[in-house]
Structure formats: structure tokens, C-alpha cells
């Protein structure tokens, strides 16, 4: 069962908490707008989380949206395979990341992937790949380049994955400004519930659209914002940067 959005947010917050020395001491209340309230002795601190995505060129689908749809197809394919009560396998799908899957296509593609795996279950402690080489003309689902299916006697649960690749963008001030601008309009609502409002910008998380080549130089000059404190968190590196801020 996939973790809920709030469960993921709690994990993100706990990671952030471990990276700074002055995290507020108080009772944590998961909420909405902002995502969390921390009730301290003499104040309430509101913390809003957001993810730092690469900018999407005009006319293109955001990378994170395409990733989410591919993940949905693979998760649904696993559900359909599991329902068949077939042997546990380790499956790696090499999907065509140039194709954006529509919501209406998820069930169809998931069924095709589940069927393909079911038809290519290897003997114990062996593997199958489709296609095996360039002369293998077996038809694959439109979104798929290749699939690898492994069956090991030590594996007791099926696991489906879809590894991907991406270019890693260099972090710029514009990336941070864009993240700030997405949350500034909600700040007045946050302040009705807290005395201080913090923004935590998450980078280097599961989505490849959040991966950046970090140079701290773009973070040196103050950013104009009405948030009391702003942090950029690199989860792969286990580090939080507090941004200098100036009031609007």
C-alpha cells in the first residue's frame, strides 16, 4: 500500500528536523495551509512544504507529471499481476519517457504490462528479457522499450520498477524565486493560524524533476519574501540551507 501524501510530508519534515539545530520544540499538528503547526510555549510556528521542480518549457508537459503517470501504470500493473496468483518476480520496465501517458490510458497500459510479464515468467533462478536482441520482433506495448523479468527462489514478493534517466539542471535563483512565488499567495491564510510562517523547499527527492546540480552561489543573496524563514533541503545530501530573506 502506497504511503499517503501526509505520510510523505511527515517523513520530509522529520528529515528536515534532523538537519537543523533550532527546530521548534512543541506539539506537532499535521494540518493543511500550512502543512504543519508546531504549538510551542509562547508561539505557533507554521511550516509549509513544497517541492523544487525544474522549470517546464512552454508547451511541454511537466516532467514530474509524466513520471507520476508512469509510476501509476507500473503500480497498477503489479496489482493486476498479483491478482493472478503467479510466482513472485522482480520486473524492470524500460519505458519510453518521451511518451506522456494520459489518465485514460493507465488501465490499458497496465493490463498490457501485466500480461507481458505473465507470459514471460522464467524458470526458477533465471531471467527473461523481451526483446532478447534486435532480431526479436515480439510486439511490445507502445510505452515500452524493454522488460526484464527475474525469478529467484529467495524472493517471496513481486517487485515492479521502472528505472529512468535524466539530465541534471544547475540550480539558479530563478528556481528558488519560482518556488517562493507558488506559495506567497497563500501566506495570508497561513498567518491566520500561526505566529511564524516557515517555507521548506525540498530538492533531490524521488522525482527526477527535483534533481539539481547544486552551487550555493545562487543562494547567497537575500530573497524577497514575507515568509519568516525559508530553507532549501537537499535530501540526498542530508543538508538544509537557510536562505537570507528581506520583507516585501
Amino acid at each position: 500500500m502506497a504511503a499517503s501524501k501526509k505520510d510523505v510530508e511527515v517523513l520530509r519534515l522529520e528529515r528536515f528536523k534532523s538537519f537543523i539545530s533550532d527546530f521548534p520544540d512543541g506539539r506537532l499538528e499535521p494540518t493543511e495551509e500550512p502543512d504543519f503547526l508546531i504549538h510551542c510555549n509562547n508561539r505557533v510556528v507554521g511550516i509549509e512544504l513544497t517541492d523544487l521542480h525544474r522549470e517546464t518549457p512552454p508547451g511541454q508537459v511537466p516532467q514530474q507529471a509524466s513520471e507520476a503517470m508512469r509510476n501509476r501504470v507500473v503500480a497498477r500493473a503489479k496489482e493486476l499481476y498479483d491478482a493472478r496468483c503467479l510466482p513472485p518476480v522482480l520486473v524492470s520496465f524500460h519505458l519510453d519517457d518521451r511518451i506522456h501517458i494520459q489518465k485514460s490510458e493507465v488501465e490499458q497500459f497496465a493490463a498490457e504490462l501485466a500480461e507481458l510479464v505473465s507470459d514471460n515468467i522464467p524458470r526458477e533462478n533465471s531471467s527473461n528479457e523481451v526483446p532478447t536482441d534486435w532480431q526479436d520482433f515480439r510486439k511490445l506495448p507502445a510505452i515500452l522499450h524493454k522488460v526484464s523479468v527475474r525469478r529467484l527462489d529467495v524472493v517471496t514478493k513481486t517487485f515492479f520498477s521502472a528505472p529512468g534517466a535524466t539530465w541534471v539542471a544547475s540550480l539558479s535563483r530563478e528556481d528558488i524565486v519560482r518556488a517562493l512565488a507558488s506559495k506567497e499567495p497563500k501566506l495570508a491564510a497561513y498567518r491566520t493560524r500561526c505566529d511564524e510562517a516557515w517555507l521548506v523547499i525540498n530538492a533531490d527527492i524521488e522525482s527526477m524533476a527535483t534533481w539539481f546540480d547544486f552551487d550555493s552561489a545562487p543562494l547567497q543573496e537575500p530573497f524577497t519574501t514575507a515568509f519568516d524563514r525559508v530553507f532549501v533541503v537537499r535530501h540526498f545530501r542530508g543538508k538544509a540551507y537557510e536562505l537570507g530573506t528581506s520583507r516585501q
Side-chain angles (χ1 to χ4, degrees):
M1 180 177 174
S4 69
K5 178 176 180 289
K6 186 55 72 176
D7 288 339
V8 172
E9 288 175 346
V10 170
L11 290 173
R12 298 262 195 276
L13 186 71
E14 289 298 323
R15 288 274 290 167
F16 166 61
K17 179 180 178 179
S18 70
F19 300 153
I20 66 171
S21 60
D22 61 344
F23 190 86
D25 183 16
R27 177 175 62 86
L28 179 66
E29 179 188 1
T31 60
E32 298 296 335
E33 295 192 350
D35 293 314
F36 298 94
L37 295 174
I38 303 176
H39 299 268
C40 308
N41 289 334
N42 58 354
R43 60 179 176 150
V44 176
V45 178
I47 299 181
E48 177 70 8
L49 308 182
T50 192
D51 296 340
L52 184 64
H53 294 114
R54 292 202 292 265
E55 186 172 17
T56 303
Q60 294 189 18
V61 176
Q63 181 180 348
Q64 60 270 24
S66 290
E67 285 184 49
M69 295 308 293
R70 291 196 294 271
N71 291 339
R72 184 179 296 188
V73 167
V74 171
R76 178 59 179 152
K78 179 182 180 301
E79 289 178 353
L80 295 173
Y81 179 86
D82 286 341
R84 299 183 179 195
C85 299
L86 294 170
V89 288
L90 303 176
V91 182
S92 179
F93 297 105
H94 297 267
L95 301 177
D96 187 342
D97 58 11
R98 298 169 298 177
I99 297 175
H100 176 65
I101 301 167
Q102 303 295 326
K103 186 176 180 180
S104 60
E105 298 174 317
V106 168
E107 195 66 21
Q108 170 200 335
F109 284 133
E112 291 178 1
L113 295 186
E115 186 71 23
L116 181 64
V117 174
S118 300
D119 289 344
N120 289 279
I121 299 174
R123 299 186 306 273
E124 286 189 356
N125 296 312
S126 62
S127 63
N128 279 338
E129 286 193 355
V130 181
T132 54
D133 55 45
W134 66 274
Q135 293 180 321
D136 186 343
F137 297 109
R138 281 177 286 181
K139 186 175 180 181
L140 297 178
I143 60 170
L144 188 64
H145 288 307
K146 184 177 182 180
V147 62
S148 172
V149 185
R150 289 190 295 162
R151 184 180 173 191
L152 306 173
D153 55 14
V154 296
V155 174
T156 59
K157 289 186 178 181
T158 289
F159 181 74
F160 281 17
S161 66
T166 189
W167 59 277
V168 179
S170 296
L171 181 70
S172 69
R173 281 188 66 84
E174 287 71 24
D175 295 315
I176 306 300
V177 169
R178 191 171 63 253
L180 286 167
S182 71
K183 294 298 180 179
E184 292 282 351
K186 298 183 178 181
L187 188 52
Y190 301 162
R191 290 201 179 278
T192 65
R193 309 190 65 194
C194 60
D195 303 300
E196 291 182 28
W198 294 13
L199 181 63
V200 175
I201 303 171
N202 294 297
D204 291 351
I205 50 179
E206 292 83 0
S207 171
M208 291 184 291
T210 67
W211 298 357
F212 288 86
D213 181 11
F214 259 75
D215 178 352
S216 61
L219 308 180
Q220 299 303 315
E221 294 295 323
F223 289 82
T224 301
T225 179
F227 280 96
D228 295 287
R229 298 179 74 177
V230 180
F231 299 84
V232 176
V233 180
R234 296 189 67 189
H235 286 268
F236 289 167
R237 293 287 185 180
K239 186 171 182 178
Y241 300 84
E242 183 168 10
L243 305 184
T245 60
S246 61
R247 291 285 180 175
Q248 292 178 324

